[in-house]
Amino acid sequence: APAVDGLPGDLRALTDVLIVNEGEAAMLAGAPASGDALALGPRLLAQVAGAVVITLGARGAMLWRHGAAPLHCQPPAVAVVDTPGAGDAFTGAFAAAWARGAAAGEALASGVAAGSLACERRGVVPSLADGSRVAAAALALRTGLRPAPNAGQ
């Protein structure tokens, strides 16, 4: 972050998983900054090889994959102290789960759990939760995974 304006299409086509926030998604899709994630996800998915994740801050994150309904994971309730590092925590936990072959929903829940937990403490490094805490929070979140609203449109 931030996304680079003009990221070459041939590089996007080789991308296994594109993880962006809402502003970056809008920029890469050539849409207004207030673009709707439900509309932006499919536009970006058409440009990548595997999957697109759009992080939504306090609204969690959404995941699109070719041939599958999009998923939305709501974050757990946390007492927000500081948000810097939340996106990095999300990306690290998501990537670790994805790389070990976790199901898409499990990887999404892991990312949302880690990003949420990172908001509970001040400072980037001190706020990063350990793996056992992320795993416990992700397990609770997976039960609430659902298809994104209006996913069929």
Side-chain angles (χ1 to χ4, degrees):
V4 177
D5 192 13
L7 186 64
D10 54 346
L11 180 58
R12 287 187 215 182
L14 297 172
T15 302
D16 292 322
V17 181
L18 176 66
I19 301 174
V20 292
N21 63 35
E22 290 177 282
E24 294 165 337
M27 186 194 65
L28 290 174
S34 60
D36 174 26
L38 278 173
L40 296 174
R43 287 173 65 177
L44 293 175
L45 183 61
Q47 301 173 26
V48 302
V52 170
V53 175
I54 300 179
T55 60
L56 306 170
R59 298 184 330 273
M62 294 180 67
L63 168 72
W64 289 262
R65 294 166 292 149
H66 294 285
L71 294 174
H72 179 226
C73 183
Q74 290 280 358
V78 296
V80 176
V81 173
D82 198 20
T83 60
D88 295 326
F90 173 94
T91 300
F94 178 93
W98 190 271
R100 74 170 183 272
E106 181 181 344
L108 186 64
S110 293
V112 169
S116 298
L117 294 172
C119 294
E120 292 183 320
R121 295 179 65 190
R122 187 162 309 283
V124 175
V125 175
S127 71
L128 298 176
D130 66 31
S132 62
R133 217 170 142 222
V134 170
L139 181 61
L141 290 178
R142 284 199 306 270
T143 61
L145 276 176
R146 65 185 197 285
N150 300 318
Q153 297 180 3

